[in-house]
């Protein structure tokens, strides 16, 4: 009797594109359930909580604005449902950008695995930063923040927001909450997850703090300033991946990064330390959303200063490391007689990068990538 041999074929491995398409389809179906719920009277009331902004009030027209009444919004517990729905929308948009833009570029450039993940991260974040920066600038111009900086602290608490202002904050919270499931969808490496969690948590902490403490005016200005600097960094990194010799964008980013930290501290101290400290109403009142008390002001300034100091510390260490590696790379090397075979000496000179030194980007360097991939 012939004995059948057991099949040794390994089970099929799902590709990264298939996983992204699969989770995007599932999230799209969930989002469509909320949208279809608006069509039926029974489920419309529940679906509206997820899709539209809640807690709106109508202010009657005054003598100065006799043409139309104002529609303003405040925050509440139902905003969590709205954030959840737009988190699903953010996941869908993330998958669309990944599949139809970034994956096509990756196939043409033939990036390595490490460079592939860095390129995807910068591609997604640069698109988000650009969109948020343009949107935030439009709100600043339309509400006269640039012409009148005292609006940052005047008439506090800013518990009533325009539609654009509240939708901006809802979108920001939704985007950074969507970054948590994306760590699984994008199959992020375990060693990269702590770094991702730190900056996602910092974004959520500061955005939610400005939203809940009714410091939305100050928060909007600081976000636009920060997003512009971050957009410049990630767009420069995208150009660097396509051309290793491109370094001009990083030099400009280094200057603007320091200026951005200084402007953030100046605006924060000016608004919280001087503007709100001189306000007449300095009583804690949860009903009106007034948090202008000494303890809250100290906590706000402390959180901003600690975060800026942490960012500067990381930035200085990064620049010092690059300076040491660059100086070591340009230092003249003393020629010595080879004591081993040619094959071993050539390998020793290139195993750590160029002339025995690690480049500024480590694993991101195309030379290291080619050697690893080969």
């Amino acid at each position: 009797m012939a004995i059948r041999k057991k099949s040794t074929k390994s089970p099929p491995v799902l590709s990264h594109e298939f996983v992204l398409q699969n989770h995007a389809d599932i999230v799209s179906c969930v989002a469509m359930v909320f949208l279809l719920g608006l069509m039926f009277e029974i489920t419309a009331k529940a679906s509206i909580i997820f899709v539209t902004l809640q807690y709106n009030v109508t202010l009657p027209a005054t003598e100065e604005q006799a043409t139309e009444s104002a529609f303003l919004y405040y925050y509440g517990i139902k905003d969590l449902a709205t954030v959840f729905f737009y988190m699903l929308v953010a996941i869908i948009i993330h998958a669309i950008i990944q599949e139809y833009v970034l994956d096509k570029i990756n196939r043409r450039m033939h990036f390595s695995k490490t460079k592939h993940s860095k390129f995807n991260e910068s591609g997604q974040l640069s698109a988000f930063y650009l969109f948020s920066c343009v949107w935030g600038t439009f709100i600043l111009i339309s509400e006269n923040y640039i012409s009148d900086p005292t609006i940052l602290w005047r008439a506090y608490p800013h518990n009533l927001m325009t539609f654009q202002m509240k939708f901006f904050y809802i979108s920001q919270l939704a985007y950074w909450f969507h970054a948590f499931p994306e760590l699984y969808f994008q199959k992020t490496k375990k060693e990269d997850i702590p770094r991702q969690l730190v900056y996602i948590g910092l974004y959520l902490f500061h955005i939610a703090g400005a939203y809940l403490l009714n410091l939305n005016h100050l928060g909007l200005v600081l976000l636009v300033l920060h997003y512009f600097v971050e957009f410049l960094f990630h767009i420069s990194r995208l150009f660097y991946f396509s051309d290793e010799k491109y370094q001009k964008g990083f030099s400009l980013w280094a200057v603007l990064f320091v200026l951005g930290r200084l402007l953030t501290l100046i605006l924060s101290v000016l608004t919280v330390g001087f503007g709100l400290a001189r306000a007449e109403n300095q009583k804690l009142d949860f009903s009106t959303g007034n948090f202008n008390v000494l303890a809250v002001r100290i906590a706000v300034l402390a959180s901003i200063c600690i975060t800026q100091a942490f960012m500067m510390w990381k930035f200085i260490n990064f620049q010092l490391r690059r300076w040491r590696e660059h100086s070591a790379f340009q230092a003249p090397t003393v020629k010595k007689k080879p004591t081993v075979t040619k094959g071993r000496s050539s390998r020793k000179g290139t195993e750590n990068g160029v002339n025995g030194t690690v480049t500024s980007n480590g694993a991101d360097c195309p030379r290291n990538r080619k050697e690893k991939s080969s």
Side-chain angles (χ1 to χ4, degrees):
M1 294 177 64
I3 300 175
R4 294 182 179 180
K5 295 182 179 180
K6 294 183 179 180
S7 178
T8 58
K9 293 182 179 180
S10 59
V13 179
L14 299 178
S15 63
H16 181 61
E17 290 80 4
F18 177 80
V19 174
L20 289 176
Q21 184 65 34
N22 191 23
H23 89 256
D25 292 340
I26 296 174
V27 173
S28 300
C29 292
V30 176
M32 285 300 297
V33 170
F34 294 108
L35 294 176
L36 291 175
L38 298 173
M39 302 175 60
F40 304 98
E41 185 177 358
I42 301 175
T43 58
K45 292 182 179 180
S47 297
I48 286 176
I49 299 176
F50 289 88
V51 179
T52 62
L53 300 182
Q54 303 298 308
Y55 305 105
N56 60 323
V57 293
T58 304
L59 297 181
T62 59
E63 295 180 358
E64 298 177 356
Q65 299 176 350
T67 55
E68 58 182 7
S69 56
F71 297 94
L72 300 177
Y73 296 82
Y74 58 96
Y75 67 83
I77 191 64
K78 294 181 181 179
D79 290 341
L80 294 176
T82 311
V83 170
F84 175 76
F85 174 77
Y86 286 100
M87 182 188 71
L88 301 179
V89 175
I91 293 175
I92 297 172
I93 296 175
H94 187 114
I96 292 174
I97 295 175
Q98 184 67 44
E99 181 178 359
Y100 294 100
V101 180
L102 298 179
D103 285 344
K104 291 183 178 181
I105 298 176
N106 284 321
R107 294 189 190 100
R108 293 180 180 178
M109 301 300 293
H110 302 288
F111 292 139
S112 61
K113 290 184 178 180
T114 306
K115 199 171 185 179
H116 182 274
S117 62
K118 298 287 185 181
F119 181 85
N120 289 338
E121 179 185 3
S122 292
Q124 294 285 350
L125 289 176
S126 60
F128 169 73
Y129 288 143
L130 177 61
F131 175 76
S132 299
C133 190
V134 173
W135 188 8
T137 304
F138 173 77
I139 298 175
L140 293 177
I141 296 174
S142 61
E143 298 190 10
N144 299 323
Y145 283 72
I146 299 176
S147 60
D148 187 11
T150 60
I151 200 173
L152 294 177
W153 62 84
R154 194 180 61 207
Y156 180 86
H158 307 136
N159 52 354
L160 295 179
M161 298 171 282
T162 60
F163 175 84
Q164 290 287 344
M165 178 73 77
K166 180 167 183 175
F167 194 34
F168 178 84
Y169 273 94
I170 293 293
S171 301
Q172 296 298 311
L173 293 172
Y175 180 86
W176 291 112
F177 272 117
H178 112 282
F180 289 115
E182 286 296 340
L183 294 177
Y184 170 75
F185 296 145
Q186 297 290 334
K187 295 183 177 180
T188 306
K189 295 181 180 180
K190 291 183 179 180
E191 57 268 21
D192 292 336
I193 290 179
R195 177 183 64 87
Q196 299 271 2
L197 292 177
V198 167
Y199 83 78
I200 292 172
L202 287 175
Y203 274 114
L204 287 174
F205 174 76
H206 287 88
I207 295 173
Y211 186 66
L212 297 176
L213 296 177
N214 291 318
L215 293 171
N216 42 67
H217 293 181
L218 176 63
L220 177 62
V221 175
L222 297 184
L223 277 178
V224 171
L225 178 63
H226 177 75
Y227 283 169
F228 176 75
V229 178
E230 291 297 304
F231 166 74
L232 182 61
F233 169 76
H234 286 284
I235 200 68
S236 299
R237 192 160 74 162
L238 291 177
F239 283 113
Y240 173 79
F241 287 154
S242 60
D243 184 8
E244 186 186 3
K245 297 180 180 179
Y246 181 82
Q247 297 287 343
K248 296 180 180 179
F250 291 113
S251 301
L252 179 61
W253 164 76
V255 176
L256 293 180
F257 182 88
V258 177
L259 293 177
R261 306 287 70 79
L262 291 176
L263 286 176
T264 299
L265 292 175
I266 291 172
L267 290 174
S268 301
V269 173
L270 183 64
T271 302
V272 181
F274 291 94
L276 295 181
R278 296 180 180 180
E280 296 180 359
N281 188 5
Q282 296 190 19
K283 295 182 180 180
L284 184 63
D285 190 354
F286 292 99
S287 60
T288 60
N290 186 12
F291 300 94
N292 187 15
V293 293
L294 180 61
V296 175
R297 292 199 302 268
I298 293 176
V300 170
L301 285 177
S303 63
I304 295 175
C305 292
I306 291 173
T307 303
Q308 302 307 309
F310 172 75
M311 295 174 67
M312 279 301 302
W313 177 70
K314 300 283 289 185
F315 173 79
I316 292 172
N317 287 335
F318 173 73
Q319 294 297 331
L320 288 176
R321 186 173 66 252
R322 287 189 61 188
W323 178 76
R324 294 192 191 107
E325 293 166 356
H326 182 70
S327 60
F329 176 76
Q330 291 184 343
T333 56
V334 180
K335 294 184 179 180
K336 295 181 179 181
K337 294 182 179 181
T339 56
V340 293
T341 60
K342 294 182 178 180
R344 293 182 60 186
S345 61
S346 61
R347 181 184 298 178
K348 185 178 180 180
T350 58
E351 63 181 356
N352 289 329
V354 182
N355 292 336
T357 60
V358 182
T359 56
S360 59
N361 289 288
D364 293 339
C365 180
R367 295 171 184 168
N368 296 342
R369 296 281 176 76
K370 291 178 181 178
E371 292 175 7
K372 291 180 181 179
S373 60
S374 61

